[in-house]
Each structure stands twice: as structure tokens, then as C-alpha cells.
């Protein structure tokens, strides 16, 4: 009997990870802002054309930095998609922000830019958008909405590193954007993240917040004689050991993205007719978007069909998962005023979505196995 077992995700070593890790030990600097952190900053700044990149301990922490940088205080409202990760919102709720949940588009499952304007009030202080699966939101409209009301756009770009919207990198449209290097993301160091600062006004304070509320960054550059406690802050610098691992992954970005694209395209090609028979839908990537190939998802015909398919795949030892329970209907969302029917698309999609294994080290044989198990399922 074939004992092949396909996990949902598997971390991989793609290049110089182990060499760089031992090099950090040899250098004798394994804490934050060392040699490899600087190389990651430089690589991301050069590649993306972002004025300032700061590695952080997680995407969640980078989002917490955003809420502090925007000086949000209790009672301020921020617009979020309801179909999002918990910390996309929680990082702001931590500062007392009232989340205002907006529905998502049926095609890309991204924040519905057409529904944003109606939810803006005199208390609204920002818009947070998430590029679901690494496919860009309708950024022309979102950037224009934010500008019209003189408020910042923040991109939660955890899925979207090296995806593009109208030829331009995701993560370069908002005043601020965040990345995740969690194990499950396209590029990983286990746990980690980054803050991308496109609006230079935030650079100086971001360095201070990240380094315990001190001006140590300026001290290290020789700009001040001593460093002091100058603001609130925390300790959001990842160890240089993690940056060493991450640099090796970022250096192999073309190979990683090419592999993910191949796997994604094969799912799309092989599953098309099958999905049509089932009344299921494959992901939509608009012509003006280049995906980062982070997620391959299916929208099944019904919740029951989705759950049957999960069981069927489980019997074939394939782990497929779903996610994003609509945030406005979670206990915290309800406490913030969320009600069933507020975001009908998010509610519907959440009950029918399924994500297939998609990771750099997924082998052709493993994907054959996943595809065979799927094609065997007839509804
Ligand atoms: C993974 C993820 C996060 C959180 O990332 P961490 O680095 O684990 O904090 C935030 N937002 C989205 C959309 C994510 O997918």
C-alpha cells in the first residue's frame, strides 16, 4: 500500500541557510540588527524600492507597530476586511481601535473597495487591506479613497511578497506595509516579519518603537552621543540567527516563486474540468495582477461538499485546510457590533473554501497524489 502522506506545509532548506547560521555564530553576534539583518534590509529595500525596511519578530508585531505609528487611540475607527487573519485586526484593537468590517469581493476575496466609502465616518483613521493569497486588492481605488479622506492605507502583505498590481510590487502602495516570515509563508525563518515604510515620515519613530522606545539606532549610526528612553516601544528585533536563515531564503526568491507558480498552474490546469463538474470554483487572478502564488484554494459548491472533500482527502492522507472564519462573527467581532448578514460574501466564502497543499518542497509525485485524490471525488 502506498504510504504517501502529503502535509499542508513543510519548511525547506533552499540555499545557504545552514552556512549563514553557522556564520552568525562565528561572528559572535546573534542578537538583533547584526550582519544578516542588515543584508535582509538592504535586499528588500533594493528589490522592492522601499525607502526603509525593518525586520520584526512577526507580521503581527509589524502590524502593532503600524497602529502605534498611526497614533491610533481608543475610539478611532479603522476599516478592515472581515475575511482576514485575526492579528490583521487585533494589532489595532490592542490600541483601543474600533474595527469596522467591510465585505470582500467575490472574485479575489479581497477587501471590496466599492464598499469602503460608505463605511467611512468622522472617526475613521485608516484602511487596512490584505492581499489575499498574494493577489492584489484594487489598489487604485483604495489608494484614492485613503487619499481623499487624508488617511493612511496599510497593506497586510503577509501573503503577497513579490506579487504585483499593475506591474508594481505589493507592499509599496500603502504608507506602511507588513510581511510575515512565519513557517507557512513563501519565505520563512520560523517566526518573523518585516515593516515596509513607504512614507518616510514614519522612519525615525519606527526605529525607536522597535528598539524598546530608545534612540539606539541613531546612537549606533553615531548621530547621538548616548542612547536614551525617548518614547513608548517594545522589543521587536528578531535575532540575527533568524535573519541569517531568512536571507538564504530571500536570495533564492526566483527559484522559490518559480516552483510555487509551477505547482499552482498545474493545480489550475488539471482541476479545471473537474471543478466545473462539481460546481466548484478555482481562484481568480485578474489580468492586471501578478500573484505571489501563496495559496491555491477551491470554493466548493456548498459547505457540506467542502467538508466531505476534506474527509475524502484525509482518507487519502492529504491534509487540506480551510480558514478565516469571518471576523465580524467571532466573539470579539460580535462584541464590536458584528451581526450575521453584515458581510455576506465573507460569510459564504468562509463556509466553502478549501486550501490545497502548496509549498516549495512539494514534489511532483506528491502533487500527483493530491490531484489523483481530488479527481476521484465526485461531489
Ligand atoms: C500569517 C499572517 C499574519 C501573521 O503573521 P505572523 O508573522 O505569524 O505574525 C498576519 N496577516 C496575515 C494575512 C497572515 O497570513
Amino acid at each position: 500500500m502506498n504510504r504517501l502522506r502529503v502535509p499542508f506545509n513543510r519548511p525547506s532548506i533552499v540555499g545557504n541557510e545552514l552556512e549563514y547560521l553557522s556564520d552568525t555564530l562565528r561572528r559572535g553576534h546573534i542578537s538583533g540588527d547584526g550582519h544578516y539583518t542588515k543584508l535582509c534590509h538592504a535586499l528588500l529595500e533594493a528589490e522592492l524600492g522601499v525607502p526603509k525596511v525593518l525586520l520584526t519578530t512577526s507580521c503581527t508585531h509589524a502590524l502593532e507597530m503600524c497602529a502605534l505609528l498611526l497614533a491610533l487611540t481608543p475610539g478611532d475607527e479603522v476599516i478592515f476586511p472581515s475575511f482576514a487573519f485575526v492579528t490583521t485586526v487585533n494589532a489595532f484593537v490592542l490600541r483601543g481601535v474600533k474595527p469596522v468590517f467591510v465585505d470582500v469581493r467575490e472574485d479575489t476575496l479581497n477587501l471590496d473597495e466599492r464598499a469602503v466609502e460608505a463605511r467611512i465616518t468622522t472617526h475613521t483613521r485608516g484602511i487596512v487591506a490584505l492581499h489575499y493569497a498574494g493577489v492584489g486588492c484594487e489598489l487604485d481605488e483604495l489608494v484614492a479613497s485613503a487619499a481623499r479622506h487624508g488617511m493612511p492605507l496599510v497593506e497586510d502583505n503577509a501573503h503577497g511578497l513579490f506579487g504585483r498590481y499593475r506591474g508594481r510590487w505589493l507592499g509599496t502602495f500603502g504608507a506602511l506595509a507588513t510581511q510575515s516570515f512565519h513557517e507557512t509563508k513563501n519565505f520563512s525563518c520560523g517566526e518573523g516579519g518585516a515593516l515596509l515604510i513607504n512614507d518616510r515620515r514614519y522612519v525615525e519613530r519606527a526605529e525607536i518603537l522597535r528598539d524598546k522606545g530608545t534612540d539606539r539606532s541613531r546612537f549606533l549610526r553615531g548621530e547621538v552621543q548616548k542612547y536614551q528612553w525617548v518614547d513608548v516601544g517594545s522589543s521587536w528585533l528578531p535575532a540575527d540567527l533568524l535573519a541569517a536563515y531568512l536571507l538564504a531564503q530571500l536570495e533564492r526568491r526566483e527559484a522559490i516563486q518559480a516552483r510555487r507558480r509551477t505547482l499552482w498552474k498545474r493545480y489550475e490546469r488539471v482541476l479545471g474540468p473537474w471543478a466545473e463538474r462539481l460546481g466548484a470554483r478555482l481562484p481568480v487572478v485578474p489580468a492586471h495582477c501578478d500573484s505571489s502564488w501563496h495559496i491555491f484554494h477551491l470554493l466548493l459548491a456548498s459547505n457540506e461538499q467542502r467538508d466531505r472533500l476534506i474527509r475524502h482527502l484525509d482518507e487519502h492522507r492529504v491534509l487540506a485546510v480551510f480558514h478565516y472564519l469571518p471576523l465580524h462573527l467571532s466573539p470579539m467581532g460580535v462584541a464590536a457590533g458584528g451581526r450575521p448578514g453584515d458581510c455576506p460574501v465573507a460569510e459564504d466564502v468562509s463556509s466553502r473554501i478549501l486550501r490545497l497543499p502548496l509549498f516549495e518542497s512539494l514534489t511532483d509525485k506528491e502533487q500527483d497524489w493530491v490531484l489523483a485524490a481530488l479527481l476521484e471525488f465526485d461531489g
Side-chain angles (χ1 to χ4, degrees):
M1 191 181 170
N2 193 331
R3 296 308 301 164
L4 196 59
R5 194 178 282 279
V6 184
F8 181 68
N9 182 63
R10 184 171 53 217
S12 51
I13 291 176
V14 294
N16 289 334
E17 284 90 339
L18 299 179
E19 281 168 45
Y20 291 173
L21 275 169
S22 38
D23 186 52
T24 48
L25 295 169
R26 275 195 299 272
R27 283 170 184 275
H29 180 135
I30 58 173
S31 59
D33 280 342
H35 177 72
Y36 286 97
T37 305
K38 288 183 190 130
L39 291 177
C40 287
H41 289 169
L43 182 149
L44 288 168
E45 285 164 8
E47 187 69 15
L48 301 173
V50 167
K52 186 75 182 175
V53 173
L54 293 171
L55 291 194
T56 58
T57 33
S58 67
C59 181
T60 300
H61 285 159
L63 288 161
E64 287 179 24
M65 289 179 68
C66 292
L68 283 166
L69 288 169
L70 301 185
L72 298 173
T73 55
D76 288 346
E77 294 178 4
V78 173
I79 305 267
F80 299 95
S82 176
F83 191 69
F85 190 65
V86 169
T87 62
T88 308
V89 182
N90 221 2
F92 293 82
V93 169
L94 194 57
R95 306 257 76 85
V97 162
K98 178 179 180 322
V100 174
F101 292 108
V102 168
D103 210 354
V104 292
R105 296 177 57 98
E106 285 187 35
D107 51 3
T108 57
L109 315 186
N110 281 329
L111 178 64
D112 190 339
E113 73 288 350
R114 298 157 299 188
V116 165
E117 201 69 26
R119 305 304 307 279
I120 291 176
T121 71
T122 52
H123 302 291
T124 313
R125 295 288 175 269
I127 301 173
V128 176
L130 149 60
H131 306 302
Y132 183 72
V135 175
C137 294
E138 287 309 323
L139 283 156
D140 285 346
E141 285 78 4
L142 288 175
V143 166
S145 276
R148 191 154 51 240
H149 296 277
M151 57 193 192
L153 172 71
V154 174
E155 298 172 76
D156 177 347
N157 196 34
H159 298 179
L161 187 56
F162 304 128
R164 297 175 197 249
Y165 174 82
R166 298 197 193 283
R168 184 168 145 195
W169 297 118
L170 299 179
T172 65
F173 291 82
L176 300 165
T178 63
Q179 302 298 151
S180 175
F181 303 118
H182 181 264
E183 177 178 321
T184 52
K185 303 305 200 286
N186 291 22
F187 306 91
S188 167
C189 59
E191 300 276 0
L195 177 66
L196 312 188
I197 306 175
N198 295 306
D199 183 336
R200 290 171 196 273
R201 282 178 299 178
Y202 295 112
V203 170
E204 189 178 341
R205 185 153 192 244
E207 288 183 336
I208 291 169
L209 295 176
R210 176 172 168 272
D211 210 347
K212 303 155 188 81
T214 71
D215 55 359
R216 187 163 161 275
S217 296
R218 297 192 62 197
F219 169 72
L220 293 177
R221 285 195 297 263
E223 293 167 19
V224 288
Q225 296 297 313
K226 56 187 183 315
Y227 73 88
Q228 313 184 68
W229 179 22
V230 294
D231 200 338
V232 298
S234 191
S235 188
W236 286 313
L237 300 74
D240 213 51
L241 286 166
L242 295 177
Y245 193 95
L246 179 64
L247 181 71
Q249 299 245 315
L250 292 174
E251 285 178 346
R252 295 281 294 159
R253 61 195 173 280
E254 281 174 18
I256 291 174
Q257 295 300 81
R259 178 64 187 156
R260 297 185 75 102
R261 181 180 189 280
T262 300
L263 292 163
W264 196 103
K265 288 282 186 189
R266 182 157 179 242
Y267 275 136
E268 182 185 52
R269 198 170 57 247
V270 176
L271 294 176
W274 167 84
E276 199 164 326
R277 270 200 311 283
L278 253 57
R281 205 190 76 192
L282 302 185
V284 176
V285 181
H288 55 283
C289 293
D290 296 322
S291 180
S292 71
W293 320 109
H294 178 54
I295 290 173
F296 190 93
H297 63 275
L298 301 167
L299 282 183
L300 280 303
S302 67
N303 177 246
E304 295 70 36
Q305 190 189 55
R306 193 265 312 265
D307 291 353
R308 274 200 306 281
L309 180 54
I310 292 178
R311 281 195 299 279
H312 171 86
L313 290 172
D314 186 56
E315 282 158 15
H316 289 76
R317 300 183 299 283
V318 172
L319 184 59
V321 302
F322 63 89
H323 69 165
Y324 297 165
L325 298 172
L327 291 175
H328 69 287
L329 296 183
S330 60
M332 283 291 280
V334 169
R339 295 290 173 267
D342 284 355
C343 301
V345 179
E347 291 168 32
D348 172 48
V349 160
S350 161
S351 72
R352 297 191 290 119
I353 199 165
L354 188 65
R355 301 168 61 192
L356 300 181
L358 178 66
F359 48 90
E360 187 273 337
S361 67
L362 186 71
T363 64
D364 289 346
K365 222 169 135 188
E366 286 172 322
Q367 194 182 30
D368 291 344
W369 179 261
V370 176
L371 285 167
L374 286 164
L375 296 176
E376 210 179 84
F377 179 79
D378 56 12

